[in-house]
Amino acid sequence: RHAETAARSRETVLGMLSMLCADAENLDYDGIDQIMQMLEGYAYEETLQVRIDQLAASVRNLDLDTSIAICEQMKDILEKGKAAT
């Protein structure tokens, strides 16, 4: 049951990261802010929490290139299943 919930959470976070990347590429600041708030509502293991903190800082600083790079790193980690939400 826990593994099923973790997998669903991982898929949800992956989807939000993809949307955040797309919004950053389209300069949709409202969309970026909304997704960032949702992402910050999850609990992450340390590997991902560090990146969430970095992502939040880059979003606040409007450093969208860095935001996209961090999103891609997080997606890679989640897709390989090395980290769980």
Side-chain angles (χ1 to χ4, degrees):
R1 186 103 175 122
H2 177 71
E4 185 179 310
T5 302
R8 193 174 12 224
S9 294
R10 186 169 34 250
E11 291 303 315
T12 301
V13 170
L14 277 166
M16 286 191 283
L17 289 169
S18 293
M19 289 188 300
L20 197 147
C21 281
D23 286 349
E25 289 170 359
N26 294 319
L27 305 178
D28 180 357
Y29 297 104
D30 289 336
I32 293 167
D33 285 341
Q34 286 179 342
I35 295 167
M36 196 65 235
Q37 286 178 1
M38 289 188 284
L39 285 169
E40 288 179 315
Y42 281 82
Y44 301 94
E45 69 176 39
E46 189 64 27
T47 307
L48 287 177
Q49 187 61 55
V50 168
R51 286 182 174 81
I52 281 288
D53 294 343
Q54 292 169 340
L55 181 60
S58 67
V59 165
R60 275 193 306 277
N61 293 327
L62 302 179
D63 183 352
L64 299 184
D65 290 337
T66 299
S67 297
I68 291 168
I70 294 168
C71 278
E72 295 299 337
Q73 289 173 358
M74 290 180 66
K75 284 166 49 179
D76 286 346
I77 291 167
L78 285 165
E79 286 167 353
K80 290 177 181 146
K82 289 183 181 173
T85 53

